[in-house]
């Protein structure tokens, strides 16, 4: 189902034009208007989901397989040296458009895109506490 006020619903379903590089019945992939690097594209489902947590498993699997296919194609066409897949969920994680999307970002040696964070040293206690909290078997 589409959301009336969602720009990615409109792009995904062709109501707003986009620089589309791939389309099928479930997804559209189009170029980002503010690319982090040359060829930066966005993979979006045609159906509205706010984020990863709302997406069903079948579409998640299809999205990752499709990302792999397009990343390979883009790498060959653009001659990039590496590739980032980035997927933000929630404002705290940098999500600005609340319709699931996967960033496909070709990377070039020496480009200034830079997806880094400030690594901190985890203590053994912290690692143990988190393992206990998160591991479910
Ligand atoms: P987010 O920060 O939510 O993970 O990423 C949203 C992305 O959508 C940004 O990279 C932004 O440049 C891109 N974007 C926002 N509005 C439009 C639009 O109307 N068209 C296109 N092609 N990209 C958009
Ligand atoms: Zn939407």
């Amino acid at each position: 189902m589409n959301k009336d006020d969602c720009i990615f619903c409109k792009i995904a379903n062709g109501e707003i034009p986009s620089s589309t590089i791939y389309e099928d019945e479930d997804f559209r992939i189009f170029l980002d208007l503010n690319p982090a690097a040359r060829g930066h594209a966005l993979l979006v489902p045609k159906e509205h989901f706010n984020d990863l947590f709302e997406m069903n498993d079948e579409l998640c699997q299809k999205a990752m397989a499709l990302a792999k296919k397009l990343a390979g194609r883009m790498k060959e066409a653009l001659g990039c040296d590496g590739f980032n897949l980035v997927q933000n969920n929630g404002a705290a994680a940098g999500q600005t458009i609340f319709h699931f999307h996967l960033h496909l970002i070709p990377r070039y040696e020496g480009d200034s895109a830079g997806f880094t964070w400030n690594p901190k040293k985890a203590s053994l206690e912290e690692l143990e506490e988190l393992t206990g909290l998160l591991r479910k078997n």
Side-chain angles (χ1 to χ4, degrees), residues 6-19:
C6 174
I7 185 159
F8 278 10
C9 278
K10 292 189 170 70
I11 291 175
N13 293 289
E15 289 168 49
I16 292 179
S18 63
S19 304

Side-chain angles (χ1 to χ4, degrees), residues 3 6-9 47-49 98-99:
K3 244 180 118 195
C6 174
I7 185 159
F8 278 10
C9 278
E47 189 176 341
H48 182 91
F49 302 96
F98 292 86
H99 175 128

Side-chain angles (χ1 to χ4, degrees), residues 98-135:
F98 292 86
H99 175 128
F100 174 94
H101 52 281
L102 182 58
H103 294 262
L104 309 184
I105 309 177
R107 298 300 304 275
Y108 307 87
E109 292 294 349
D111 72 27
S112 56
F115 300 101
T116 56
W117 54 86
N118 296 323
K120 299 161 197 73
K121 189 85 191 131
S123 68
L124 198 55
E125 294 75 34
E126 193 181 358
L127 294 176
E128 279 174 2
E129 188 241 322
L130 286 167
T131 307
L133 185 69
L134 298 173
R135 182 169 172 154

Side-chain angles (χ1 to χ4, degrees), residues 54-124:
E54 286 194 356
M55 282 256 282
N56 62 61
D57 288 355
E58 192 194 341
L59 267 190
C60 285
Q61 286 161 13
K62 283 186 180 173
M64 189 51 81
L66 180 56
K68 181 185 173 191
K69 183 161 103 177
L70 261 285
R73 233 188 244 183
M74 291 164 77
K75 194 167 188 300
E76 201 169 307
L78 296 166
C80 58
D81 305 304
F83 215 96
N84 288 117
L85 295 182
V86 177
Q87 204 275 308
N88 301 324
N89 297 284
Q95 186 176 10
T96 58
I97 304 283
F98 292 86
H99 175 128
F100 174 94
H101 52 281
L102 182 58
H103 294 262
L104 309 184
I105 309 177
R107 298 300 304 275
Y108 307 87
E109 292 294 349
D111 72 27
S112 56
F115 300 101
T116 56
W117 54 86
N118 296 323
K120 299 161 197 73
K121 189 85 191 131
S123 68
L124 198 55

